Amino acid sequence: DPSGRRRRLKQIRHRHLRAIADAIAAGAKEFDPAKRQTQYARAFNRANEESYVFPVSSIPNVLAHT
């Protein structure tokens, strides 16, 4: 069922975004700089785990050359 598959993918995506938002919110409430840095690092690392695009060239506007 394509609609069921889309719904499951949306739920998974929402869960990942919620984890990032929760880590950012926890960091914003923290007064201790070391603990705040830990929370923001969790959010940053989770966002990087979700990044499926990565540079293959130091000049991103040149994609292919023959």
Side-chain angles (χ1 to χ4, degrees):
D1 174 27
S3 64
R5 182 178 177 193
R6 271 185 258 138
R7 187 174 43 249
R8 283 191 304 274
L9 289 174
K10 191 175 188 179
Q11 290 171 346
I12 290 169
R13 181 70 178 152
H14 177 70
R15 214 173 321 140
H16 291 299
L17 293 176
R18 175 56 45 202
I20 294 169
D22 289 346
I24 291 171
K29 293 177 186 176
E30 187 60 57
F31 290 106
D32 181 16
K35 290 181 182 177
R36 185 181 313 134
Q37 183 178 4
T38 301
Q39 292 297 328
Y40 287 147
R42 280 184 48 221
F44 181 78
N45 290 336
R46 185 64 178 255
N48 282 335
E49 289 172 3
E50 294 297 312
S51 179
Y52 299 112
V53 178
F54 59 93
V56 231
S57 168
S58 60
I59 306 172
N61 60 348
V62 178
L63 299 176
H65 183 15
T66 59

